[in-house]
Amino acid sequence: MNDKLTIRPAHEADLPAMVAMLADDPLGAARESPDDLTPYLTAYRRIAGDPHQHLVVAVAPGTDRVIGTLQLTVIPGLSRRGATRTLIEAVRIHADARGSGLGTTLIEWAVEQSRTLGAELVQLTSDATRTDAHRFYERLGFSASHVGFKLVL
Amino acid sequence: MNDKLTIRPAHEADLPAMVAMLADDPLGAARESPDDLTPYLTAYRRIAGDPHQHLVVAVAPGTDRVIGTLQLTVIPGLSRRGATRTLIEAVRIHADARGSGLGTTLIEWAVEQSRTLGAELVQLTSDATRTDAHRFYERLGFSASHVGFKLVL
């Protein structure tokens, strides 16, 4: 196989596949509505209009099938001598592609992209119940140094 | 005292006070350089140029003394039916003002501002060693549901 995996900006046409991945998840199942894409389209346009958001999809080699996604946000800041950081959110891998190394490829892409964008720190949070994900991020060099707090409004 | 605490956007002239607060911290002491404001000024301008960043200071009643700061970032996203979230970073309270309730006032401001900006979720991470901060965020209704990972580039 000479074709390579492609990681590219997400298009509106990718939304059904992306939302299906968000919903096909133990935590996502209860909070997504894959049969009604309207709120996702509104959100997609908000993301696409913000130059500090990088919403991407991974496309299977030699196909146009979306098998992964993540969102990278660039956040300038004062702390750490004015360091810019990036935040990784909404990492999802299609069920068919789990265990294939795609998660590693996507996170390594996000880290490399963060360097290119001038970031000095990459951060993310992972639900405390996702223990497999925690080991995965630690293998990739991330340190579980923080507690992540959320408040639903 | 009829004067009230003011929370307002940070100005360039606030940088010395803000950087002093970042440095006057068990974790910040080693990673800030309050004697050289150049990198902070560059970062301040980057923040000020991004409409999704809200960097604010708290000013003591009846004075122009900066006694607190935080940064709020607005992040649109696809997950949770296209929910916009906010991220709180770089919360600092001047040593003279600790225990005064200012931390609560600042976080409550950030939560209210998040609602005004259309967010459905507020999130933040706190270093695992800051156990007092963890109790503080839980008292304010935040849930310590996540593990926060960082990778320094």
Side-chain angles (χ1 to χ4, degrees), chain A residues 45-57:
Chain A
R45 290 175 178 166
R46 212 178 281 138
I47 297 165
D50 178 347
H52 296 103
Q53 305 300 332
H54 301 266
L55 178 64
V56 298
V57 291

Side-chain angles (χ1 to χ4, degrees), chain A residues 32 71 76 80 89 123, chain B residues 32 71 76 80 89 123 150:
Chain A
E32 306 299 344
Q71 181 176 347
R80 299 174 186 245
E89 288 279 355
Q123 66 189 43
Chain B
E32 306 299 344
Q71 180 176 344
R80 299 173 185 247
E89 288 278 354
Q123 65 188 45
K150 310 255 175 185

Side-chain angles (χ1 to χ4, degrees), chain B residues 122-137:
Chain B
V122 184
Q123 65 188 45
L124 61 92
T125 66
S126 178
D127 193 281
T129 63
R130 299 195 200 261
T131 50
D132 285 357
H134 303 171
R135 282 189 291 271
F136 166 76
Y137 290 118

Side-chain angles (χ1 to χ4, degrees), chain A residues 45-114:
Chain A
R45 290 175 178 166
R46 212 178 281 138
I47 297 165
D50 178 347
H52 296 103
Q53 305 300 332
H54 301 266
L55 178 64
V56 298
V57 291
V59 179
T63 74
D64 56 3
R65 213 162 63 83
V66 168
I67 54 174
T69 181
L70 66 72
Q71 181 176 347
L72 190 68
T73 301
V74 180
I75 305 174
L78 289 186
S79 68
R80 299 174 186 245
R81 305 187 74 243
T84 290
R85 64 187 67 201
T86 57
L87 173 69
I88 298 174
E89 288 279 355
V91 181
R92 294 294 186 281
I93 306 295
H94 193 283
D96 296 349
R98 287 179 200 150
S100 68
L102 173 58
T104 300
T105 303
L106 264 175
I107 298 297
E108 286 177 346
W109 176 89
V111 169
E112 198 46 46
Q113 188 69 11
S114 298

